Amino acid sequence: MPCNAFQLDQILCAHACAMLEKKNFEKGPYCCDLLKPKTVLKTYDVPIYPLSHKDDWLIAESVLGEIVLPPKYKRPPGRPAKKDRDKSGRDMFEKKNINSCGGCGAKGYNRRSCRKYRK
């Protein structure tokens, strides 16, 4: 079963390479253009200049006046605690699952232990 990397990302995986070799196709046209060596080299053609000193930055006054604070609450590590809902007295003592017979329809037992259904 293929890994679907070829369909999703156009990255030639072992499955796609094997199929292309079996059909005698070239692999170049089936590979994404962003991953070809010529395109990767073009990304480094544009010079990247370092930032000037912090004192030389031009920052708007409206941005300088804003105060950014850290979040008010920090989420504790681990799985969240289970939240117990308030249960009424009826919910506390009521039986959750009540079996009913598939043969006669009576409640409290199932078809396997039904005396009326066996007869």
Side-chain angles (χ1 to χ4, degrees), residues 9 22 27 30 40 47 75 79 90 98 100 110 113:
D9 303 324
K22 184 177 181 181
K27 298 173 190 165
Y30 294 97
V40 173
R75 193 170 152 225
R79 187 175 179 152
R90 182 178 175 193
I98 299 174
S100 62
N110 57 18
S113 60

Side-chain angles (χ1 to χ4, degrees), residues 82-88 91-92 96:
K82 185 177 179 183
K83 295 179 182 177
D84 291 332
R85 64 178 176 93
D86 293 331
K87 296 181 181 178
S88 64
D91 290 339
M92 296 284 284
K96 303 281 190 256

Side-chain angles (χ1 to χ4, degrees), residues 4 28 58 72 97:
N4 289 336
L58 299 174
K72 290 183 180 180
N97 297 327

